[in-house]
């Protein structure tokens, strides 16, 4: 656990999500370059990436290494969480047939960092969780839940905020249908009850590539937009809104918290609706190698 001092001034935490970076499938690097420029100007106290840093990390560990190198370009401390495109999915709920396993967990921890973490910033304790472990049945699932409970119980007077990749639920916390869009129901109740009973203020997530805010039993649940692709048709059909690429800026002012949605004009909304509706997933898109052009002498 790392600790940052200095609680007297407002602190800015940027949440970025779903960057889907790859050197061989470099569809979304331009928007990430814009994000790097924005962070150079903003100079936040901390950046939290809520998962899917890579295009297809479970199949190509080189995607993880490339994504980590891009995150290292950022001008602030970065805490990172794995998404399903980084580490796989809970085995009973693996839509992409990429179940989380020991090899994929090791690839993440050796290349990127811990699967879960805690970080004290000012008057807040920020806790990061790996949502792919939830309902996985792996030993690490129980260890992570114990970690969450311990970190919430030991935080003293600090307020608590939880970061994760998948949202706890889409619209109904009691929906028991199998899903890969949110935390599967077998693990959802323990997560939500633990956070609610401990007074967690906010659960901040990503995964569904749309900005959204809801309330649940006193907690705010906020979905960050992606910097990568969007799916206009599905977003309009399900939530009656268009989502553009961007990020969130959380302001921690003493014990108060608020956030702002930032949608940079230079980030281009790449709609993959037609591809995913036919192919089912962006991970089977054809290679598009990264090209870096240097200026030629006149």
């Amino acid at each position: 656990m790392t600790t940052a001092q200095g609680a007297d001034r407002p602190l800015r935490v940027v949440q970025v999500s779903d960057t889907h970076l790859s050197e061989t499938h470099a569809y979304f690097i331009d928007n990430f370059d814009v994000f790097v420029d924005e962070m150079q100007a903003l100079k936040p106290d901390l950046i939290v990436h809520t998962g899917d840093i890579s295009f297809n990390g479970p199949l190509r560990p080189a995607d993880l290494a490339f994504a980590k190198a891009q995150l290292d370009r950022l001008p602030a401390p970065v805490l990172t969480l794995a998404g399903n495109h980084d580490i796989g999915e809970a085995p009973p709920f693996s839509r992409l047939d990429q179940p989380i396993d020991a090899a994929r967990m090791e690839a993440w921890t050796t290349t990127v960092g811990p699967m879960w973490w805690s970080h004290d910033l000012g008057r807040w304790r920020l806790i990061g969780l790996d949502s792919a472990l939830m309902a996985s049945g792996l030993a690490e699932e129980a260890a992570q839940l114990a970690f969450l409970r311990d970190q919430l119980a030991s935080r003293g007077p600090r307020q608590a905020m939880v970061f994760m990749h998948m949202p706890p639920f889409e619209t109904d916390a009691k929906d028991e249908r199998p899903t890969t869009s949110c935390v599967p129901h077998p693990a959802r109740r323990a997560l939500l009850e633990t956070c609610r009973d401990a007074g967690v203020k906010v659960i901040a997530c990503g995964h569904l590539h749309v900005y959204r805010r809801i309330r649940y039993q006193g907690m705010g649940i906020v979905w960050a937009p992606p910097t990568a692709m969007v799916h206009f048709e599905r977003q309009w059909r399900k939530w009656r809104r268009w989502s553009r690429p961007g990020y969130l800026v959380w302001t921690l002012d003493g014990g108060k918290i608020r956030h702002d949605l930032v949608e940079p004009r230079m980030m281009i909304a790449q709609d993959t609706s037609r591809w995913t509706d036919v192919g089912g997933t962006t991970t089977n898109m054809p290679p598009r190698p990264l090209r870096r052009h240097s200026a030629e002498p006149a």
Side-chain angles (χ1 to χ4, degrees):
M1 179 175 65
T2 54
T3 302
Q5 302 296 331
D8 294 336
R9 64 176 178 85
L11 301 168
R12 288 185 297 188
V13 177
V14 168
Q15 181 189 357
V16 63
S17 200
D18 297 273
T19 50
H20 293 275
L21 299 172
S22 169
E23 193 168 18
T24 60
H25 294 71
Y27 290 91
F28 314 116
I29 189 66
D30 289 344
N31 278 359
F32 188 77
D33 287 343
V34 173
F35 178 70
V36 173
D37 291 342
E38 296 256 325
M39 294 303 99
Q40 293 284 358
L42 183 64
K43 295 181 172 57
D45 296 281
L46 178 70
I47 299 170
V48 177
H49 195 308
T50 45
D52 281 0
I53 68 172
S54 64
F55 185 81
N56 196 2
L59 183 64
R60 292 188 295 272
D63 279 6
L64 288 179
F66 178 78
K68 176 62 166 63
Q70 298 309 304
L71 294 179
D72 288 345
R73 297 167 54 200
L74 293 167
V78 181
L79 293 173
T80 310
L81 292 166
N84 56 306
H85 283 262
D86 304 318
I87 204 169
E89 300 165 308
F93 304 91
S94 184
R95 178 178 64 88
L96 300 178
D97 195 25
Q98 294 179 336
I100 185 172
D101 57 22
R104 286 168 174 151
M105 287 188 282
E106 183 178 6
W108 175 267
T109 56
T110 58
T111 304
V112 183
M115 295 172 60
W116 57 78
W117 44 257
S118 177
H119 182 89
D120 291 342
L121 186 65
R123 300 181 187 177
W124 286 78
R125 174 160 290 181
L126 313 180
I127 301 171
L129 302 177
D130 189 330
S131 59
L133 288 174
M134 298 174 187
S136 69
L138 300 173
E140 288 81 2
E141 178 183 3
Q144 177 175 251
L145 183 58
F147 172 83
L148 171 63
R149 288 170 172 162
D150 175 73
Q151 292 301 309
L152 290 173
S154 65
R155 74 185 192 271
R158 295 184 182 94
Q159 301 284 10
M161 180 179 186
V162 170
F163 290 92
M164 52 197 290
H165 180 59
M166 287 186 173
F169 59 90
E170 283 195 78
T171 57
D172 181 4
K174 296 181 180 180
D175 188 349
E176 298 184 12
R177 289 176 295 178
T179 180
T180 58
S181 296
C182 55
V183 173
H185 189 266
R188 186 184 307 151
R189 180 176 178 179
L191 170 70
L192 288 173
E193 289 184 352
T194 297
C195 291
R196 179 202 63 198
D197 294 348
V200 168
K201 294 297 183 184
V202 177
I203 297 176
C205 51
H207 182 54
L208 294 182
H209 293 222
V210 63
Y211 168 67
R212 191 163 175 245
R213 304 180 293 176
I214 58 178
R215 299 284 301 176
Y216 177 78
Q217 297 189 2
M219 296 183 294
I221 301 177
V222 181
W223 305 4
T227 67
M229 63 282 196
V230 296
H231 193 308
F232 284 147
E233 295 174 10
R234 180 173 58 204
Q235 290 163 357
W236 182 255
R237 185 169 61 247
K238 295 183 74 170
W239 299 298
R240 285 296 185 266
R241 65 174 296 122
W242 304 121
S243 183
R244 297 188 56 81
Y247 57 90
L248 303 179
V249 179
W250 293 92
T251 301
L252 313 181
D253 190 358
K256 298 179 181 180
I257 187 170
R258 64 176 178 84
H259 75 274
D260 295 291
L261 170 66
V262 182
E263 298 175 327
R265 289 182 295 173
M266 292 299 292
M267 282 192 183
I268 305 302
Q270 299 187 62
D271 178 19
T272 60
S273 301
R274 299 304 171 89
W275 183 276
T276 53
D277 285 349
V278 174
T281 172
T282 55
T283 58
N284 59 20
M285 292 173 72
R288 185 180 184 184
L290 177 68
R291 294 184 177 89
R292 294 295 194 191
H293 300 289
S294 57
E296 297 182 358

